[in-house]
Amino acid sequence: MHDETVLVAARNIGKTWGPECEECRVRTGPEQGTNICPRCGTVVALRDISFELHEGEILGLVGESGSGKSTLVQCIYFDLDATDGRLFFRGCEDGENVMELPRIQKRRIRGRLMGMVYQNPLCGLRMDITSGANVAEKLLEADVFHFARIRARAGELLASTEIPAAYMDAFPRVLSGGMQQRIQIAKALANNPPLVLLDEVTSGLDVSVQARVLDLIRELQRERGMSMIVVSHDMGVIRLLADRTLVLKNGCVVERGLTDQILEDPQHPYSQLLVHSTL
């Protein structure tokens, strides 16, 4: 990465499930209207995804269910192993492709340099420990072991995401969906990561709760200056948060550009359908 403002660079990321054959590439994708190879049954979840994310920038990933957007952030966060491609994180491991690093090094990168907020809080939180303990888990990944410091830091983070102090020792399972998402956000921010990944964080929430969570995300991003990748099928969420946007369909990027440009003058027929369906 020659541009010093680039935090993350992805090159030709691919993810497949199945045996793969020589026809997978030509018989899947937006033009074919499917990401399942009719010959061998392989699911081509991602194909040749490339992008750069700059410091303090919010990149939107938008598309219908099955377009590959959630799979992409799971590959970046090492929840999934990409089948192909390279991923570079500025200042990390001397410019190496982090996707080729041993799993222990990936866990270290993930614990120190990234935060993740999942669509389903059950994926991002342990319901059998307290809200404060969930945040503490992330702090432990960065080798913070002093109990008093951990508890104080957890309290600060929960307060910053509007979780009342009385709920610090409450179990997430007894809290509302909006509260659970805010605990996830606090956990994601625990180690001041330069990159935060948000996967459909407002899905399933009441409209009023959605609005407050989105406002909170925008406020925290402005205060802390972190970069974000925001996954959504909702163009309204993308409009509110994202500086630039990638439009995905059947595992491929069909359009990319400034969010305002895509919303005002979408070029690809699929982008046009997404935009017009929200008007």
Side-chain angles (χ1 to χ4, degrees), residues 11-16 20 25 46 82-86 99:
R11 299 287 182 260
N12 304 112
I13 304 297
K15 177 63 180 176
T16 58
E20 296 191 64
R25 291 184 68 87
L46 297 173
T83 310
D84 303 293
R86 297 169 294 156
M99 287 185 166

Side-chain angles (χ1 to χ4, degrees), residues 87-100:
L87 184 69
F88 304 97
F89 212 117
R90 192 189 64 211
C92 179
E93 305 299 335
D94 298 321
E96 289 185 72
N97 173 15
V98 296
M99 287 185 166
E100 293 182 343

Side-chain angles (χ1 to χ4, degrees), residues 25-201:
R25 291 184 68 87
V26 297
R27 300 187 69 177
T28 63
E31 297 81 7
Q32 308 301 324
T34 182
N35 62 357
I36 302 175
C37 178
R39 179 178 176 184
C40 69
T42 293
V43 177
V44 183
L46 297 173
R47 190 172 77 196
D48 295 332
I49 306 292
S50 297
F51 66 87
E52 292 183 344
L53 179 68
H54 296 259
E55 275 186 353
E57 182 181 37
I58 302 180
L59 179 69
L61 304 179
V62 67
E64 64 194 347
S65 178
S67 62
K69 54 192 188 300
S70 292
T71 300
L72 178 56
V73 296
Q74 287 172 34
C75 286
I76 293 169
Y77 198 58
F78 309 132
D79 281 340
L80 295 174
D81 293 324
T83 310
D84 303 293
R86 297 169 294 156
L87 184 69
F88 304 97
F89 212 117
R90 192 189 64 211
C92 179
E93 305 299 335
D94 298 321
E96 289 185 72
N97 173 15
V98 296
M99 287 185 166
E100 293 182 343
L101 295 175
R103 189 158 296 277
I104 190 168
Q105 287 177 266
K106 288 180 178 178
R107 282 201 302 269
R108 197 165 183 82
I109 292 168
R110 168 171 151 151
R112 292 172 176 267
L113 301 179
M114 291 190 277
M116 178 73 153
V117 182
Y118 295 88
Q119 175 180 355
N120 185 346
L122 288 172
C123 296
L125 297 176
R126 287 179 53 186
M127 298 297 170
D128 58 339
I129 64 175
T130 67
S131 303
N134 269 281
V135 177
E137 278 194 330
K138 192 71 173 178
L139 293 168
L140 290 170
E141 290 180 13
D143 300 330
V144 179
F145 298 119
H146 190 279
F147 176 79
R149 284 177 56 200
I150 289 175
R151 186 166 178 85
R153 176 66 175 153
E156 291 170 7
L157 287 158
L158 290 169
S160 74
T161 56
E162 301 178 351
I163 299 294
Y167 291 159
M168 183 171 174
D169 295 317
F171 294 95
R173 64 172 180 265
V174 304
L175 303 177
S176 68
M179 286 279 196
Q180 290 174 355
Q181 290 300 61
R182 290 201 285 273
I183 296 167
Q184 275 208 89
I185 294 169
K187 182 175 181 178
L189 298 178
N191 296 322
N192 292 315
L195 174 63
V196 175
L197 308 167
L198 306 168
D199 188 5
E200 298 278 15
V201 294

